[in-house]
Amino acid sequence: MKAKLLISSLLLGVVVLAFAKEKDPVLMTINGKQIKLSEFEYLYHKNNQQQLEKETLDQYVDRFVLYKRKVADAEAAGIDTTDVFIKEFEGYQKDLAAPYMTEDTTYKWELINETYNRYKKEIDVDHIMLPLGANDQETASQLARMDSLRTCVLNGEDWADLAKRFSVDPYVKRNQGRFGFISVCLFPIEVEDVIYSSAAGELSKPFVSQAGVHMVRVNEVRDRNDVHAKHILKLFPQNATDEQKAVCKAQIDSIYALLKAGANFEEMAKKESQDGSARYGGDLRWFGRGRMVQPFEDIAFSLADGQISEPFATQFGYHIVKTVAHGMPSLTELRPGIENVLERIGRMKEVKERRINDLKEKYNYRLGSAFENLLDKGLAANGGLDSAFVAQYFKGNKDALFTYGKKESVPVRALMSQLSVKSPIADLAKAKNEIMSKVNALAEKALDDYDRRELVKNNAEYRNLLNEYRDGMLLFEISNRRVWKAAARDTVGLERYYAENRDKYHWDEPHFKGIILSAKNDSVLNLVKADVKTMAADTVTYGLHNKYGDNIRMDHMVVKKGENPLADYLAFHVGDKPNGKSYPEFMILNGGVISQPEEMADVRGMVTSDYQDVLEQRWKEELAAKYPVKINKKVLKQVK
């Protein structure tokens, strides 16, 4: 009975496995490479969505086969193994994978949203800081010392006096420990977290950040009220005299008079303002209190929405301000700025750290036991970290540095290229941290690469999109080599093709063929005309270029009426004289109007295009002979 059950279970397993495989069967094989049904359907449906007239399935199969044969030819040429291709494709892999890495985008959004919500509040805060200790014991002593200062505050002692006597905050001499209203991303995150989690009137307990030991007091919490403003600025010259300032005043008054008469503020800012905001119509975007100099800030906040100020002076020059709106900018408006600030202060690392920690758990990341033993006992026996330790224990070491995934691992020897110990580190904790920082960097890359490989295996949409990009890159490069550039470079082939098909190439209307010379002024043009009369025909262009250099420009062209204003005016005698700013004077140096092409160069574009078609057809025939195709007709019928 047990034997029957076992056999039944095995047979069921075979059936289930066969059914699973049939979910995405092989549709065709090209040069021995299997093409699955899912990949074909993905491209077939995408193609039909982009076409005005849908192709039949048979038509698309023919085009798909040609497409895959060209990709096979690119692989045979080794294009996919070049450094240029690999580097470009790796960049595409990361970009295309990003939307599928939900943890990454979720964590990033959480951080941005948290920052925006904090930005909505302004907090009046006081701050005292003591230095960190050299070790945990000394830091604990500093925490106890700060707790004593907290007791002093609770007993009514003056905050400013305590700050001046004990705080090591670099701003304490200027502010006596009173920061006033602050916003996000100004303090270390540990300090910001405490500030934004405290209520008005609350005095924090002592806490530690990477910068020191802190205590903060929140005095008031208020809703933020920003202003969106634009301005026009006339800058004072450096060390401006009263006379120079008077000139600026006259200029700004003139602008103000035009604005009162109805001139557009943004256009005037683009034309007249003398700072970087001019290109944006004077737009300074949103800003809060404490960001701008006085009286600029007070005036911008005092104006009603849409109101324009009278001219006023700051230390920089004379301004006219237009207040666009008061209130709180949206997350959409602030998001680019928030992301830039978070990146600049290093907080975007949190997104990466959270994702890597999740990957470690997801893929069962473990340090190698032999390596852990090395860290604990080897460092102690060696008396710390030095180059001798690295050479002795890491060089050629095949033991697992860490393991992950199903059977993936990185050997200890991989640390050799990461660790460069210029001076010995005797402190064992610091030595271990130095090594582990390099281990974590290796783990981050290994787990990230593995996650993308798993994504390719487990996510059909991403896999098909990635294959499409890869094949598209290969198709472009091989087509460039075999058809587009090949035709342009094969001058002998082009000439031969033109000679054999000369009757195909004729014009419906005359063309100007020749050289038009343009000069920087009429004096130069007159000198050129005199020189041309004395030069041999085959030395004119070289001789003129050598003599006049940048004072002239010579344009070789074959154009019909309407294609070039210089040719229209000089050769076809239509239109007004062109306004050439740099080269306003011109003449026909040689050539004239012809009714039909005289040589291949006259119709090179048309000939090249036709010759590309010839090369394409030759290539198709070569591909058909070189890369055999087998199509499973039964699977083809499954295409939806």
Side-chain angles (χ1 to χ4, degrees), residues 588-604:
I588 294 176
L589 183 62
N590 63 42
V593 176
I594 57 177
S595 60
Q596 292 300 326
E598 299 172 330
E599 57 185 333
M600 191 275 290
D602 297 343
V603 283
R604 187 181 186 93

Side-chain angles (χ1 to χ4, degrees), residues 124-130 146-167 169 171-172 175-180 187 191 194-195 201-207 213-219:
D124 185 349
V125 63
D126 298 335
H127 175 241
I128 291 176
M129 182 171 77
L130 298 178
M146 184 68 86
D147 195 53
S148 297
L149 292 176
R150 184 174 188 271
T151 301
C152 293
V153 174
L154 292 172
N155 289 335
E157 291 194 37
D158 182 66
W159 183 282
D161 181 59
L162 291 172
K164 284 188 289 185
R165 288 164 57 197
F166 299 106
S167 185
D169 186 317
Y171 300 101
V172 70
N175 63 19
Q176 290 80 53
R178 299 186 184 279
F179 271 86
F187 287 93
V191 181
V194 172
I195 291 173
E202 187 174 347
L203 176 65
S204 78
K205 292 181 179 180
F207 62 94
V213 176
H214 309 265
M215 177 173 63
V216 296
R217 180 172 65 185
V218 171
N219 301 309

